[in-house]
Amino acid sequence: MKTISQRELAARSKAVLDDVEAGETYHITRNGTEIAEVRPLGARRRFVPVEELQRKWQHAPRIDAERMRAEADEFFGSEDRVGESDNPWERA
C-alpha cells in the first residue's frame, strides 16, 4: 500500500491507475489526513480475520438498547411492535 496526496494523485493519475491495475493499493490524503483508498476491484477481500474485526469493534460506539427502543417507539409508534409472545420467527 502506498500513500499519496490528492495533489500527487491529480498530477500522476495515469501512473497511479496503472499501478492500481497492476494490483497496488493507494491511500489518498488531503491536508495530511487519509480520505480515500484506491484499489483494484478484483482485490476485494471476502474474508476478514477475527482479530481485525475485534480491533475495529473496540472503537465502535456503545449501544444503549433501551434508549434505541424508546427512540424507535417514539418515531414509529409502539402499537404494532412485535412482542416476545408473538415472535414470527419462533418455531411451533
Side-chain angles (χ1 to χ4, degrees):
M1 180 202 60
K2 296 179 181 178
T3 302
I4 62 171
S5 69
Q6 175 187 5
R7 182 171 294 188
E8 188 176 356
L9 174 62
R12 300 183 339 122
S13 63
K14 182 189 180 321
V16 169
L17 291 177
D18 288 345
D19 288 350
V20 169
E21 189 174 35
E24 186 67 56
T25 298
Y26 281 84
H27 281 196
I28 312 302
T29 63
R30 179 187 293 157
N31 299 324
T33 302
E34 288 186 354
I35 60 166
E37 179 179 78
V38 179
R39 60 181 163 79
L41 288 176
R44 196 169 106 198
R45 294 189 302 174
R46 298 192 184 276
F47 172 78
V48 179
V50 171
E51 297 79 19
E52 183 177 339
L53 287 175
Q54 288 173 336
R55 276 194 315 273
K56 290 181 186 250
W57 287 339
Q58 285 177 345
H59 303 293
R62 299 272 181 218
I63 296 175
D64 181 347
E66 291 178 17
R67 181 175 171 210
M68 188 168 76
R69 167 51 58 199
E71 288 177 3
D73 285 346
E74 182 181 327
F75 186 79
F76 296 108
S78 59
E79 307 83 41
D80 297 331
R81 183 165 31 127
V82 175
E84 280 120 39
S85 60
D86 50 2
N87 183 349
W89 302 108
E90 196 171 81
R91 293 184 185 258

